[in-house]
């Protein structure tokens, strides 16, 4: 059970760090967006915000999938 | 007024605990008589267990929230209850008629209406290292989405005995701690009432379960969490405390690639062998939180429940830390 807990706590910490970094970046962009006068900058900022969100999700999923697959491989070797 | 808050924080949770504790056994008998039972799929003999036990939580919280409102006349309490009731009713319909994987999340968006029409939100949530944000356009759009996410997330992860109480109790405890530090003392009685009710219900829902929470209870508790986050301005704290839920929802939806109903999934993520749970080796099986946990080694059902509780305690502690970071 210890191994399961350590693995999951590691994933929670990774998720939390990603959340802190990306939510800060996205909220900063959205907040500065409200101050923009030019529509071109507003559109560019919105696109950048959405792109950052997509990058966040991709990194998050990629890291989880990598460690999950690695664990599953080890599991197969040990239990089958 | 402060004395009222102290008294409400002591006596109303007691009433909530006693109400849920005494209401659940007759509800179990009633559900069994009506044939409202679910199969406990993580036990070797697949026993039948009474379903929709969450109704006891709903009834006791209606009573205690009204009592709380009579003691401390804050409309915020009623709004939180109303939001929970809307999502709870969606869950109740799902328990009875099976609404399907797409309609259910859409209907839970309705839970955001009471908050939106009364403007009971502040579009300037505090984030770590960013104490003031300005989400004037985005925030009202996020209100119904937030309610739908929290209510569906709680429902999605209620996969083993005692999951919902074990995962949500640490969240409510962390919110009480943050309320004390942030001076949001009005939130404390409401949080303790819900905490006490969940604690009483856990006695019947813990391994081996005598009753399941049911979709009504899950959606109700999830709706309450979402409403508390928005109305009492705990957005980031709830988001971080709910990390195990968010991770589960995100991984499952990403690996399946669409909204779905639990029953639709043919490639189960977890396999039962004897009394041990193993992760599925099937490439097509969804990556669920339980499968992730089990990928590090097989466990018994009650051990998975313990891991759930420890993870929720850890993410709730991170949520308290995050709350301090929002002040930097």
């Amino acid at each position: 059970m210890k191994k399961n807990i350590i693995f999951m706590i590691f994933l929670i910490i990774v998720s939390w760090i990603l959340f802190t970094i990306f939510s800060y970046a996205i909220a900063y962009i959205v907040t500065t967006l409200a101050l923009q006068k030019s529509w071109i900058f507003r559109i560019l900022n919105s696109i950048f915000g959405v792109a950052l969100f997509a990058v966040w999700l991709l990194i998050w999923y990629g890291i989880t999938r990598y460690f999950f697959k690695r664990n599953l491989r080890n599991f197969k070797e040990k239990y089958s | 007024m402060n004395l009222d808050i102290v008294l409400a924080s002591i006596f109303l949770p007691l009433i909530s605990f006693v109400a849920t504790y005494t209401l659940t056994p007759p509800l179990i008998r009633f559900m069994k008589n009506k044939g409202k039972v679910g199969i406990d799929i993580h036990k070797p003999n697949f026993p039948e267990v009474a379903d929709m036990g969450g109704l006891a939580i709903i009834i006791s919280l209606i009573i205690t929230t009204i009592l709380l409102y009579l003691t401390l006349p804050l409309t915020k309490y009623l709004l939180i209850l109303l939001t929970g009731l809307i999502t709870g009713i969606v869950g109740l319909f799902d328990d009875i008629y099976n609404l399907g994987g797409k309609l259910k999340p859409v209907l839970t968006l309705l839970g955001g209406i009471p908050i939106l029409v009364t403007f009971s939100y502040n579009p300037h949530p505090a984030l770590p290292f960013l104490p003031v944000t300005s989400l004037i356009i985005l925030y009202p759009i996020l209100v119904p989405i937030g309610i739908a996410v929290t209510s569906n997330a709680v429902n999605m992860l209620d996969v083993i005995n005692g999951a919902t109480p074990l995962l949500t109790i640490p969240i409510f405890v962390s919110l009480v701690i943050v309320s004390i530090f942030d001076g949001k003392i009005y939130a404390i009685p409401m949080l303790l009432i819900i905490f006490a009710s969940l604690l009483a219900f856990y006695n019947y829902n813990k391994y081996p379960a005598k009753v399941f929470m049911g979709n009504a209870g899950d959606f109700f508790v999830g709706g309450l969490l979402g409403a508390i986050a928005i109305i009492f301005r705990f957005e980031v704290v709830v988001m971080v405390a709910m990390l195990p839920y968010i991770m589960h929802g995100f991984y499952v939806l990403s690996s399946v690639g669409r909204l779905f109903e639990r029953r639709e999934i043919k490639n189960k993520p977890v396999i039962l062998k004897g009394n041990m749970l193993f992760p599925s080796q099937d490439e097509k099986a969804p990556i669920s939180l339980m499968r992730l946990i089990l990928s590090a080694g097989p466990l018994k059902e009650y051990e998975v429940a313990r891991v759930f509780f420890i993870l929720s305690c850890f993410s709730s502690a991170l949520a308290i830390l995050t709350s301090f970071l929002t002040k930097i």
Side-chain angles (χ1 to χ4, degrees):
Chain A
M1 202 165 90
K2 223 186 219 171
K3 248 172 72 184
N4 307 67
I5 294 168
I6 292 167
F7 171 59
M8 287 311 297
I9 284 181
F10 161 74
L11 282 186
I12 286 186
I13 293 173
V14 169
S15 306
W16 179 69
I17 292 169
L18 286 175
F19 164 78
T20 308
I21 297 168
F22 281 95
S23 67
Y24 171 85
I26 294 167
Y28 186 79
I29 288 169
V30 176
T31 303
T32 48
L33 227 167
L35 306 170
Q36 297 283 346
K37 294 233 164 71
S38 156
W39 276 100
I40 296 163
F41 277 114
R42 281 187 171 206
I43 292 163
L44 280 175
N45 270 3
S46 311
I47 293 167
F48 193 53
V50 174
L52 259 181
F53 186 64
V55 170
W56 172 9
L57 297 186
L58 271 173
I59 294 174
W60 194 14
Y61 188 64
I63 291 174
T64 311
R65 205 176 157 80
Y66 169 77
F67 284 102
F68 171 69
K69 291 281 171 196
R70 201 189 66 172
N71 264 7
L72 219 57
R73 249 195 329 270
N74 294 342
F75 190 96
K76 243 182 197 169
E77 283 167 17
K78 203 172 170 187
Y79 293 96
S80 62
Chain B
M1 196 65 158
N2 280 353
L3 185 68
D4 287 343
I5 294 172
V6 173
L7 291 175
S9 302
I10 296 168
F11 291 107
L12 292 177
L14 275 177
I15 295 171
S16 170
F17 184 91
V18 173
T20 310
Y21 197 84
T22 49
L23 272 171
T24 310
L27 192 72
I28 293 173
R29 284 192 293 276
F30 178 79
M31 290 303 169
K32 277 195 168 169
N33 288 339
K34 291 280 172 196
K36 277 279 163 207
V37 287
I39 307 289
D40 198 340
I41 55 163
H42 297 131
K43 306 272 186 312
N45 51 346
F46 301 112
E48 284 188 339
V49 177
D51 205 358
M52 295 166 74
L55 289 176
I57 296 176
I58 297 177
I59 296 164
S60 64
L61 284 183
I62 291 172
I63 298 165
T64 41
T65 307
I66 290 169
L67 287 175
L68 175 63
Y69 180 71
L70 295 174
T71 319
L72 302 161
L74 261 183
T75 43
K76 286 181 177 184
Y77 301 137
L78 297 182
L79 272 174
I80 290 166
L81 179 69
L82 187 61
T83 306
L85 284 176
I86 293 171
T87 52
I89 289 167
V90 174
L92 188 67
F93 272 97
D94 189 45
D95 275 324
I96 300 167
Y97 302 111
N98 184 18
L99 297 175
K102 289 187 181 72
L103 183 61
K104 211 169 21 174
V106 172
L107 286 177
T108 48
L109 290 170
L110 298 173
I113 291 174
I115 299 169
L116 284 176
V117 295
T118 55
F119 296 100
S120 302
Y121 59 86
N122 186 326
H124 306 285
L127 287 172
F129 312 110
L130 205 64
V132 184
T133 57
S134 188
L135 310 179
I136 297 157
I137 299 164
L138 198 63
Y139 200 93
I141 301 165
L142 292 176
V143 168
I145 295 172
I147 301 295
V149 166
T150 52
S151 51
N152 283 282
V154 172
N155 182 243
M156 276 174 85
L157 198 46
D158 191 7
V159 287
I160 51 161
N161 293 176
T164 300
L166 284 174
L167 282 161
T168 52
I169 283 173
I171 300 176
F172 286 105
V173 172
S174 70
L175 288 174
V176 171
I177 295 168
V178 173
S179 302
I180 294 167
F181 282 118
D182 283 2
K184 294 175 183 169
I185 48 170
Y186 291 99
I188 297 170
M190 185 84 209
L191 295 167
L192 287 176
I193 285 169
I194 305 167
F195 163 79
S197 183
L198 284 164
L199 199 64
F201 185 75
Y202 177 65
N203 188 56
Y204 303 101
N205 188 227
K206 69 181 176 196
Y207 179 91
K210 295 183 185 80
V211 66
F212 289 149
M213 179 75 99
N215 295 336
D218 284 333
F219 277 83
F220 179 68
V221 174
L224 291 178
L225 261 175
I228 286 168
I230 296 163
I231 293 171
F232 285 120
R233 303 192 62 194
F234 287 130
E235 299 94 338
V236 175
V237 181
V238 169
M239 231 191 269
V240 175
M242 285 188 82
L243 264 178
Y245 280 114
I246 295 170
M247 286 161 75
H248 175 74
F250 173 62
Y251 299 150
V252 168
L253 292 176
S254 310
S255 52
V256 175
R258 64 182 169 90
L259 290 171
F260 64 94
E261 176 65 39
R262 224 178 281 171
R263 285 163 277 238
E264 288 173 39
I265 298 296
K266 287 187 181 76
N267 315 82
K268 297 288 174 203
V270 169
I271 296 159
L272 179 72
K273 285 179 189 166
N275 61 352
M276 297 294 281
L277 295 166
F278 286 74
S280 168
Q281 304 288 337
D282 189 338
E283 284 286 322
K284 285 177 188 161
I287 303 174
S288 67
L289 193 77
M290 203 152 119
R291 194 173 172 215
L292 265 175
I293 293 170
L294 294 170
S295 71
L299 293 173
K300 293 184 174 115
E301 188 186 356
Y302 68 86
E303 289 176 323
V304 177
R306 265 187 222 164
V307 177
F308 272 15
F309 181 66
I310 292 166
L311 293 184
S312 187
C313 288
F314 186 79
S315 58
S316 298
L318 272 184
I320 297 169
L321 173 69
T322 311
S323 153
F324 289 120
L325 293 180
T326 59
K327 288 165 188 70
I328 296 172

